[in-house]
Amino acid sequence: MSPITVTIRQTPSDSDQKKPESFSQIPDHDLEAIGRNCQFEYCHQLDFLPFRCESCKGTFCLDHRTETAHKCSHAGEWARRRQAANTATTSSLPLEKPTIYNSIQCSHPACKTLIDTAKDPAVHCDKCNRKYCLKHRLREEHDCSKLIPLGARPGHGGSTPNDTIKSMFSRIRTWGNNATSIGPNGKPKPTSAASRMVQVNTMKKTAKGEASIPADKRIYLHVVGTSTTQRPDPPTSNLFFDTRWKVGRVLDDAARRLGVENLNNRADSEEAKLRIFHIESGEFLEFSDTIGDGKLKSGDTIVLMRGAGVMLGK
């Protein structure tokens, strides 16, 4: 009888096991693994610490543990399973929106800082319910006392809705009569083309809008928020919009940036809905019109008016 060869060795160290291999060592607590013979055709030596091939599931000694050494019949199978598992795990993970490309700007009318990013975190003001950059986070810095909190519904006090609407239209007529002479800053409006260009260039320095809008598709407007008898100083700002946008989208974007409550998609009553009034033409804009159809030009003023549809019979 030929002698039986027995191989006894130490377990590989942790550093030897870090790299993924096509074989794995059978744990010593597996009683069936004690004293297994290598399954390679020309070996069959007894090994007390055998290896299992992860491709063909055979048991081999130290010398024949690799796929090449024992001429594995399913070579590469473990690698394909590993790659498929990694692909499935990667595809199942939800995609996170990178906050570094956030387009939310500071709510201060003169600030164009992008907030909610890793570099510039947003600071929420619990009084006016708006978000600001670190520079304008204090109430004194953003004139918090003059702002109506976002989400708050202004009351009518002792006046009726019709009184408010009449007051609104009275103010519109005054604005319309002065449209050719008074600019959005309350100063005499420039009459020459050169002066108007200077005014538009000044607006561009503080105008806020979506950064993704191409420069050649922008129209710069001075926007005034809702004006009622309860608020003689409505919110105002220089904003820019895409000339391809419909008036309805311009209204939604302007209301959001000025902090004006917009109930157009929720309210059934015209008294609560907003409409856009163009000061220079003295007309209300239709929601389906395109803002860049030629009626408006950079430097003009538009006003967000609530309840105008009642008087217009809309």
Side-chain angles (χ1 to χ4, degrees), residues 127-128 130 139 142-149 231-235:
K127 184 175 181 182
C128 65
R130 291 171 172 82
R139 294 178 181 178
H142 60 261
D143 293 331
C144 190
S145 59
K146 297 181 180 180
L147 300 176
I148 292 180
R231 183 166 186 174
D233 54 341

Side-chain angles (χ1 to χ4, degrees), residues 174-242:
T174 302
W175 277 335
N177 293 333
N178 296 332
T180 57
S181 59
I182 303 299
N185 56 2
K187 298 180 180 180
K189 199 169 187 179
T191 55
S192 65
S195 299
R196 184 177 181 87
M197 184 177 298
V198 172
Q199 178 196 6
V200 173
N201 289 335
T202 302
M203 290 178 63
K204 290 181 179 180
K205 295 179 181 179
T206 59
K208 302 167 68 173
E210 291 189 9
S212 60
I213 301 176
D216 60 335
K217 297 296 183 182
R218 296 179 180 182
I219 181 171
Y220 294 84
L221 302 173
H222 182 72
V223 185
V224 183
T226 52
S227 176
T228 66
T229 54
Q230 284 73 37
R231 183 166 186 174
D233 54 341
T236 63
S237 183
N238 293 325
L239 305 177
F240 64 83
F241 309 97
D242 195 317

Side-chain angles (χ1 to χ4, degrees), residues 162-172 227-229 305:
N162 285 337
D163 292 338
T164 301
I165 296 174
K166 289 178 180 179
S167 175
M168 173 187 67
F169 271 89
S170 176
R171 192 163 191 173
I172 283 181
S227 176
T228 66
T229 54
M305 309 303 296

Side-chain angles (χ1 to χ4, degrees), residues 36 39 52-60 72 74 81:
R36 284 195 178 187
Q39 293 181 353
R52 177 187 293 111
C53 176
E54 296 300 329
S55 293
C56 66
K57 303 302 181 183
T59 303
F60 302 94
C72 185
H74 297 81
R81 291 198 306 268

Side-chain angles (χ1 to χ4, degrees), residues 123-140:
V123 179
H124 179 264
C125 178
D126 55 2
K127 184 175 181 182
C128 65
N129 203 25
R130 291 171 172 82
K131 290 184 177 181
Y132 298 92
C133 65
L134 295 177
K135 181 180 178 181
H136 299 108
R137 68 186 186 280
L138 301 179
R139 294 178 181 178
E140 297 78 9

